[in-house]
Amino acid sequence: MTSSESDGAASFRCSDAARDRDDPFVATAPPARCWLLVEHPGPWGHQALGGAGYAPEVVDAVDAFCRARGARFQLIRRPRMRGEPLADRGRFAVVDTTPGAESVRWGRVASPDDLPAALADVEAVTTPSPEPVYLVCAHGRHDACCAMRGRPVAAELAIAYPERTWETTHTGGDRFAANVVLLPHGLVLGRVPATEAVAVAERYAAGEVDTVWVRGRSFLTAPAQAAQHHARLILQEPRVDALHVLGVVAGEDGATAVRLDGGPERGPVRVVVRERWEASPTPLTCSAARAASMRVFDLVDLEPELGAPAGVPVTGVAG
């Protein structure tokens, strides 16, 4: 690699490139039925679990728990300014994102070595909490963009909601930094500006999705995320608990039909999306060595099912 090539690689930022291209981020939320959050003040390694410094038996126990529950593991820490004391440690949370059964349960361990025992009987050693959790990816060792764009967002949220806000490890989609996860619903947002962070959280606390920044809901498959998002835009339906997925049927040529609950006024709504891949002229992460392709879901059709209530404000969309 020449000196100029080295300088270019060092200055390349995937989030800047993605903004310049206006990369679509709908249906890019990482799959997770559950989230396991474990407090760890850092420093964080490149990989959350493998770089946490845990004993092998702890790593094995966490891995087994996540596999059994379809959970995503995240290290978390409080946003802090230089000179501020570290918060007490040892907290962990298990968050169920199942639609209609969302929950947050918090526990505490004296040492990471106690995690296997706690996870073996997690309901007995944790307490339900009605408070939402706001995660902001600030994992600089995984991708510089996450720290550069995430930490200002976490700082703003922490001023307004200090008990709800945590910095966290990699959430996927480095080029969409700043990435924010709203729990317990598992809503993943991308490109959230620090100036909009508090407004986004306030809207979520009021029971609404901010469709400008939302990447998707982690509980759903990518086609279902796409279908739900397109339906929210067309039906002008911002409520978090609306448009539950009733069924998903994969078809031919990358098309997927998703059946959504449109509510008593609309009845079931059928949405068809089609998957395609779009080449990127630059790498998709700061550390990638080569360009790659992005998965995109186009809206093919959206219409009420036969027998839906009269006057349903939905029209088919050709594409």
Side-chain angles (χ1 to χ4, degrees):
M1 179 181 290
T2 67
S3 176
S4 60
E5 288 173 334
S6 178
D7 291 343
S11 62
F12 174 76
R13 290 289 175 257
C14 64
S15 61
D16 292 339
R19 281 172 165 77
D20 291 342
R21 294 189 302 264
D22 193 24
D23 286 0
F25 55 62
V26 172
T28 62
R33 299 196 305 270
C34 176
W35 293 68
L36 174 60
L37 318 177
V38 178
E39 187 172 18
H40 186 301
W44 295 335
H46 182 74
Q47 298 297 329
L49 183 55
Y54 294 157
E57 56 269 24
V58 176
V59 173
D60 290 344
V62 170
D63 183 65
F65 179 89
C66 291
R67 289 177 183 276
R69 299 213 177 195
R72 183 179 179 91
F73 175 76
Q74 301 285 142
L75 298 176
I76 59 173
R77 67 187 175 202
R78 291 297 194 192
R80 61 183 185 274
M81 300 298 291
R82 181 176 296 178
E84 292 181 353
L86 290 174
D88 56 344
R89 306 174 188 178
R91 285 166 288 194
F92 71 95
V94 177
V95 184
D96 186 348
T97 66
T98 304
E102 298 88 353
S103 67
V104 178
R105 300 183 67 92
W106 283 98
R108 188 185 293 272
V109 291
S111 162
D113 292 338
D114 298 329
L115 273 172
L119 296 177
D121 197 13
V122 71
E123 277 73 26
V125 300
T126 55
T127 303
S129 170
E131 291 294 313
V133 178
Y134 308 146
L135 303 180
V136 184
C137 181
H139 197 170
R141 287 195 178 182
H142 193 94
D143 195 291
C145 287
C146 296
M148 292 169 57
R149 295 187 181 274
R151 285 174 183 163
V153 171
E156 289 296 322
L157 281 174
I159 292 172
Y161 301 103
E163 296 303 315
R164 298 178 179 179
T165 304
W166 300 84
E167 291 183 354
T168 192
T169 45
H170 179 58
T171 56
D174 304 337
R175 71 188 190 277
F176 302 134
N179 289 298
V180 177
V181 182
L182 304 175
L183 298 172
H185 287 84
L187 291 168
V188 181
L189 283 63
R191 294 190 191 136
V192 178
T195 54
E196 298 292 329
V198 173
V200 166
E202 289 175 344
R203 188 166 186 183
Y204 175 62
E208 292 190 351
V209 179
D210 195 316
T211 55
V212 174
W213 316 112
V214 70
R215 292 171 51 192
R217 183 167 181 172
S218 65
F219 184 88
L220 303 177
T221 63
Q225 291 178 31
Q228 190 179 71
H229 180 76
H230 285 303
R232 285 193 188 281
L233 294 179
I234 291 177
L235 302 178
Q236 299 181 1
E237 177 54 86
R239 291 176 297 170
V240 171
D241 292 322
L243 299 174
H244 283 313
V245 175
L246 302 176
V248 177
V249 179
E252 298 179 352
D253 300 325
T256 301
V258 182
R259 188 168 177 258
L260 302 174
D261 181 359
E265 294 183 357
R266 301 187 187 99
V269 177
R270 181 177 179 271
V271 184
V272 180
V273 295
R274 177 173 288 116
E275 173 187 328
R276 63 181 172 86
W277 290 86
E278 186 173 305
S280 168
T282 62
L284 299 184
T285 67
C286 290
S287 60
R290 64 189 64 180
S293 295
M294 303 172 284
R295 184 165 63 164
V296 180
F297 287 91
D298 297 319
L299 176 62
V300 176
D301 191 46
L302 190 154
E303 60 184 3
E305 286 191 351
L306 293 176
V312 177
V314 180
T315 57
V317 180

